[in-house]
Amino acid sequence: MTTKLKTTLAEQDLLHALNSGASNKQVASAMQKSEQTVRNQLSTLYRKLKVSNRTQAVCWYRENGSFLTAQAQQSTGNDSNKHNAPQPCN
């Protein structure tokens, strides 16, 4: 049985944005945060997921996203920007 990974909604939003191909600048704009804050949050998220980069985080999300549970309510703000999806994980 797989254990649920506790993440904040902001972390889930980050994963969703990475999966959609958003850059740090696009994520920062959508979440109304600085790019440095997004980079810091990504570093924390990578440690939590036990991955070392953006590509691995996207692959983890695609394979395990259903095992995420939210800890707190947060929003990314405007989600109207369209992003190019990264290549599939194989």
Side-chain angles (χ1 to χ4, degrees), residues 4-89:
K4 297 269 185 184
L5 178 64
K6 292 183 181 179
T7 57
T8 65
L9 286 178
E11 289 170 333
Q12 290 180 24
D13 289 343
L14 278 173
L15 282 169
H16 180 74
L18 293 182
N19 188 50
S20 71
S23 67
N24 288 354
K25 185 174 186 174
Q26 291 167 321
V27 173
S29 176
M31 296 180 82
Q32 299 178 345
K33 297 181 179 184
S34 72
E35 285 185 67
Q36 184 60 51
T37 298
V38 169
R39 285 192 295 272
N40 291 342
Q41 290 177 331
L42 285 172
S43 293
T44 299
L45 182 60
Y46 296 163
R47 282 191 299 275
K48 187 179 277 191
L49 299 179
K50 298 180 181 172
V51 300
S52 55
N53 61 50
R54 186 181 210 91
T55 302
Q56 290 174 353
V58 169
C59 289
W60 187 98
Y61 177 71
R62 291 179 179 184
E63 294 170 5
N64 303 290
S66 63
F67 296 106
L68 297 173
T69 59
Q71 291 177 329
Q73 184 75 23
Q74 293 183 1
S75 173
T76 59
N78 186 349
D79 191 43
S80 63
N81 291 335
K82 300 294 181 206
H83 310 292
N84 296 325
Q87 296 297 317
C89 302

